[in-house]
C-alpha cells in the first residue's frame, strides 16, 4: 500500500483531459497549455496546489490555480465551464513538466485556499450546531412524524404492489400474443405502461419499461426483448414475494423497483477503507440529466465500486475522482445482494499514481461476473480488470487472453479499438473494462511506463 506522498506525482495527459467537461474544452485547454502562455507558475507539495498566470489577449493575465487533493479549481476568467480551459491548460503544462516545484505561493492563491478551508470549517460547525439545536424540537414531534411516515410508506407499498401486479398481467399478455408486431408501434408501445408504473410510485420499473424501445435498434431485437420481459417479470414476482427473500436480495429488489435509500442512511452504515484505483468513467444522458458512472477497485480488498453523480445537461459533474489515480478513502456501499454503488465517505490523503492494478485472467473475470449476477440478476454492468489480454478479431472485436485464447466480445458501439491496438502492439496488456450483457466496454489501459491511457 502506498502512504501519503511528500512529493506531488504528476498526472498524465490523459488524466488531465478526463477532467474536461466536453471535447471543445479539451481542445481549448491544449491550445493554452504552451509554455509561452505561462510566464509565472509554481506548485507547492505541502498544500498540493499548482498555480499560474496565463497570458491571454488582454493586458492582465488570467489567474488559475488547482488544489490537486480534491481536485478543486479557481480562475478569474468569465467562462461558465468547470473546470475552464485555463485550469485544464495549467494542469497540462504541469503534467508535461513545465511547472517547477516550489516557489512562493502568490497572495491570491493563498487567499483562495484559506477561504475554502474557512468555508469548510464553518459548514462543519453549522452542521454540528443544527444537530444540537434541533434535537429537543424533533423529540417533541418525533412520534407524530414517525406515524405520518409509516402511513405514507404503507400507502406507497399498496400502490407499488397494485402497479406491479398489473405489469405481470401485461407481460403475460405480451408473451401470449407474440412480439412480431411490436416494432410497428415503436416506443409508444410502452409509454402508457411506463406512465402507469410511475403513477404507482415505482420509478425504477417505469424507467426500465421506458427503455425497452432501445431493443428495437438491435438485429436480434425479438430475443433481446423477450429477455428483458423475463427480467421484468422476475423482478415483479420477486417484489411480490420479498418477505421470503434474504435481506440483501430484498434490498436489491426494492432498489430496482424504485425504493431509494437516502445518502444519510448509506453514510451511517459501515464503511470500507482501501486504496481505490479509479478505473474509468462514462457519461450518459438520462431523462434530461447527465449521469456520470465512475468505476473503482480496491487494491487490498479487491472490491469493485461504482460512484454515481448527476447534473442537468450542460452543467458540470463531479470530477473529484481522476481516472488513473489511486485514492485512500472510506467508501460506504448501498445495500444489496451484490453491493456495487457506493459513496465516498472520507478521504485520508491526496490522490496519487500507483500504476496499473493487479488484473485477473479471463476465466476469473467470468467467475466474478457470474457470482455478481447470481446475487443480482438485473445487473447491467460490472467492472473488470483483465491482465495479459490482447485485442483480437474473430467475427467482431474482442479481448482475448494471450495465454489461453479465451475472449469476451467488445460492445458493438465501441467500434474498432485502435487506441488499445496501438498501446498493445500485439503484446499482452492490462485493461480495465465495463462488462455489459452486450459486450465489454473498454475504459482504460496502461502503457509500458505504467501511465494510464483512456480508451
Amino acid at each position: 500500500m502506498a502512504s501519503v506522498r511528500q512529493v506531488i506525482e504528476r498526472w498524465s495527459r490523459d488524466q488531465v483531459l478526463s477532467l474536461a467537461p466536453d471535447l471543445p474544452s479539451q481542445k481549448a485547454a491544449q491550445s493554452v497549455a504552451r509554455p509561452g502562455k505561462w510566464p509565472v507558475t509554481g506548485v507547492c507539495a505541502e498544500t498540493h496546489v499548482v498555480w499560474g498566470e496565463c497570458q491571454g489577449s488582454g493586458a492582465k493575465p488570467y489567474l488559475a490555480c488547482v488544489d490537486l487533493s480534491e481536485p478543486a479549481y479557481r480562475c478569474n476568467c468569465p467562462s461558465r465551464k468547470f473546470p475552464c480551459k485555463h485550469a485544464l491548460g495549467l494542469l497540462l503544462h504541469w503534467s508535461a513538466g513545465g511547472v517547477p516545484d516550489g516557489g512562493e505561493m502568490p497572495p491570491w492563491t493563498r487567499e483562495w485556499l484559506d477561504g475554502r478551508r474557512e468555508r469548510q470549517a464553518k459548514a462543519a460547525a453549522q452542521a454540528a450546531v443544527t444537530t444540537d439545536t434541533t434535537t429537543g424540537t424533533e423529540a417533541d414531534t418525533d412520534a407524530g412524524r414517525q406515524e405520518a411516515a409509516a402511513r405514507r410508506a404503507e400507502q406507497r407499498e399498496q400502490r407499488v404492489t397494485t402497479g406491479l401486479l398489473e405489469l405481470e398481467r401485461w407481460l403475460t399478455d405480451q408473451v401470449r400474443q407474440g412480439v412480431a408486431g411490436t416494432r410497428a408501434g415503436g416506443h409508444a408501445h410502452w409509454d402508457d405502461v411506463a406512465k402507469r408504473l410511475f403513477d404507482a410510485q415505482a420509478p425504477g420499473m417505469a424507467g426500465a419499461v421506458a427503455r425497452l424501445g432501445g431493443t428495437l435498434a438491435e438485429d436480434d431485437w425479438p430475443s433481446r426483448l423477450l429477455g428483458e420481459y423475463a427480467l421484468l417479470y422476475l423482478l415483479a414476482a420477486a417484489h411480490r414475494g420479498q418477505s421470503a427473500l434474504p435481506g440483501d436480495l430484498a434490498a436489491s429488489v426494492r432498489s430496482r423497483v424504485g425504493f431509494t435509500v437516502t445518502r444519510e442512511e448509506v453514510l451511517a452504515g459501515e464503511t470500507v477503507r482501501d486504496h481505490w484505483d479509479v478505473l474509468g468513467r462514462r457519461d450518459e444522458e438520462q431523462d434530461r440529466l447527465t449521469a456520470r458512472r465512475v468505476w473503482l477497485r480496491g487494491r487490498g480488498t479487491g472490491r469493485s465500486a461504482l460512484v454515481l453523480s448527476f447534473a442537468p445537461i450542460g452543467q458540470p459533474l463531479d470530477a473529484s475522482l481522476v481516472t488513473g489515480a489511486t485514492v485512500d478513502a472510506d467508501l460506504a456501499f448501498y445495500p444489496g445482494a451484490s453491493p456495487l454503488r457506493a459513496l465516498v465517505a472520507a478521504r485520508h490523503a491526496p490522490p496519487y499514481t500507483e500504476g496499473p492494478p493487479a488484473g485477473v485472467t479471463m476465466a476469473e473475470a467470468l467467475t466474478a461476473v457470474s457470482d455478481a449476477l447470481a446475487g443480482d440478476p438485473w445487473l447491467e454492468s460490472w467492472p473488470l480488470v483483465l491482465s495479459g489480454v490482447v485485442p483480437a478479431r474473430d467475427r467482431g472485436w474482442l479481448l482475448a487472453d494471450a495465454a489461453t485464447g479465451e475472449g469476451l466480445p467488445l460492445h458493438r458501439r465501441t467500434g474498432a479499438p485502435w487506441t488499445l491496438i496501438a498501446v498493445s502492439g500485439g503484446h499482452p496488456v492490462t485493461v480495465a473494462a465495463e462488462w455489459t450483457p452486450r459486450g465489454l466496454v473498454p475504459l482504460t489501459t496502461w502503457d509500458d511506463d505504467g501511465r494510464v491511457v483512456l480508451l
Side-chain angles (χ1 to χ4, degrees):
M1 289 290 184
S3 59
V4 177
R5 272 25 183 190
Q6 299 301 319
V7 178
I8 301 177
E9 298 178 0
R10 291 190 180 92
W11 298 347
S12 71
R13 178 177 176 275
D14 276 1
Q15 284 178 283
V16 174
L17 292 178
S18 72
L19 301 172
D22 49 38
L23 187 59
S25 296
Q26 291 185 357
K27 295 180 178 179
Q30 293 175 74
S31 69
V32 299
R34 298 190 299 271
K37 288 280 190 178
W38 300 92
V40 177
T41 57
V43 59
C44 177
E46 180 182 356
T47 59
H48 287 79
V49 172
V50 56
W51 68 88
E53 298 181 5
C54 180
Q55 190 61 52
S57 57
K60 295 183 178 180
Y62 293 112
L63 307 179
C65 57
V66 180
D67 182 349
L68 300 167
S69 62
E70 295 203 25
Y73 316 91
R74 187 267 190 192
C75 183
N76 63 348
C77 75
S79 174
R80 293 185 178 182
K81 294 186 176 182
F82 188 81
C84 69
K85 66 178 182 181
H86 304 104
L88 289 169
L90 173 62
L91 287 176
L92 286 173
H93 184 44
W94 166 68
S95 70
V99 178
D101 294 334
E104 184 176 354
M105 189 180 299
W108 58 270
T109 302
R110 176 64 67 182
E111 180 181 350
W112 172 72
L113 192 61
D114 291 343
R116 287 187 65 250
R117 291 173 175 171
E118 183 179 349
R119 287 190 295 272
Q120 291 171 350
K122 284 184 178 179
Q126 183 61 41
V129 170
T130 301
T131 301
D132 291 340
T133 57
T134 58
T135 299
T137 304
E138 290 180 351
D140 295 336
T141 60
D142 187 56
R145 289 179 179 176
Q146 288 184 358
E147 183 178 350
R151 285 198 303 270
R152 290 194 299 270
E154 183 179 358
Q155 291 171 354
R156 183 183 180 187
E157 290 285 356
Q158 293 174 351
R159 291 193 186 101
V160 171
T161 299
T162 301
L164 295 191
L165 285 173
E166 291 181 2
L167 177 64
E168 287 187 54
R169 289 193 290 269
W170 181 84
L171 289 169
T172 301
D173 291 341
Q174 297 305 300
V175 175
R176 182 182 298 115
Q177 296 166 7
V179 299
T182 303
R183 202 167 195 173
H187 290 260
H189 183 76
W190 300 285
D191 286 348
D192 185 57
V193 180
K195 289 176 182 177
R196 291 203 302 270
L197 285 168
F198 188 82
D199 292 340
Q201 295 183 277
M205 293 291 272
V209 171
R211 290 191 294 271
L212 288 174
T215 62
L216 300 180
E218 303 290 337
D219 294 334
D220 58 343
W221 69 268
S223 61
R224 186 179 176 195
L225 181 58
L226 286 173
E228 295 294 337
Y229 281 169
L231 286 173
L232 285 172
Y233 192 93
L234 177 65
L235 184 56
H239 178 268
R240 176 163 38 86
Q242 62 180 302
S243 60
L245 299 178
D248 53 358
L249 180 55
S252 293
V253 169
R254 293 180 65 80
S255 174
R256 298 287 179 185
V257 168
F259 289 92
T260 58
V261 180
T262 67
R263 180 184 180 88
E264 290 72 22
E265 289 175 305
V266 176
L267 292 175
E270 293 184 1
T271 59
V272 179
R273 182 175 180 178
D274 204 342
H275 289 242
W276 300 92
D277 290 306
V278 184
L279 303 178
R281 76 184 191 197
R282 184 159 60 88
D283 296 347
E284 55 185 19
E285 294 184 6
Q286 299 177 352
D287 303 326
R288 297 191 294 272
L289 290 175
T290 302
R292 170 162 292 171
R293 305 159 64 86
V294 182
W295 297 105
L296 309 176
R297 187 162 180 263
R299 284 188 174 257
T301 62
R303 289 192 64 167
S304 299
L306 169 64
V307 176
L308 289 175
S309 60
F310 303 90
I313 294 175
Q315 296 299 312
L317 285 151
D318 177 27
S320 61
L321 294 171
V322 182
T323 301
T326 304
V327 183
D328 180 6
D330 295 333
L331 296 191
F333 285 82
Y334 283 76
S338 295
L340 183 64
R341 187 183 175 188
L343 297 173
V344 179
R347 299 191 187 208
H348 301 285
Y352 61 93
T353 302
E354 188 73 5
V360 298
T361 65
M362 194 64 67
E364 292 170 332
L366 291 172
T367 299
V369 171
S370 64
D371 289 344
L373 285 171
D376 186 350
W378 305 279
L379 274 177
E380 297 177 350
S381 55
W382 190 265
L384 298 172
V385 181
L386 301 167
S387 63
V389 295
V390 293
R393 184 151 193 178
D394 180 15
R395 293 180 298 176
W397 289 101
L398 62 132
L399 284 182
D401 190 307
T404 66
E406 292 181 290
L408 284 173
L410 298 184
H411 197 292
R412 189 173 64 179
R413 72 166 179 242
T414 64
W418 298 120
T419 301
L420 180 57
I421 293 171
V423 174
S424 169
H427 301 288
V429 290
T430 297
V431 178
E434 178 184 354
W435 171 88
T436 76
R438 309 300 293 173
L440 294 177
V441 180
L443 299 170
T444 51
T445 187
W446 288 261
D447 63 17
D448 293 337
D449 297 322
R451 294 173 299 191
V452 67
V453 179
L454 305 185
L455 300 176

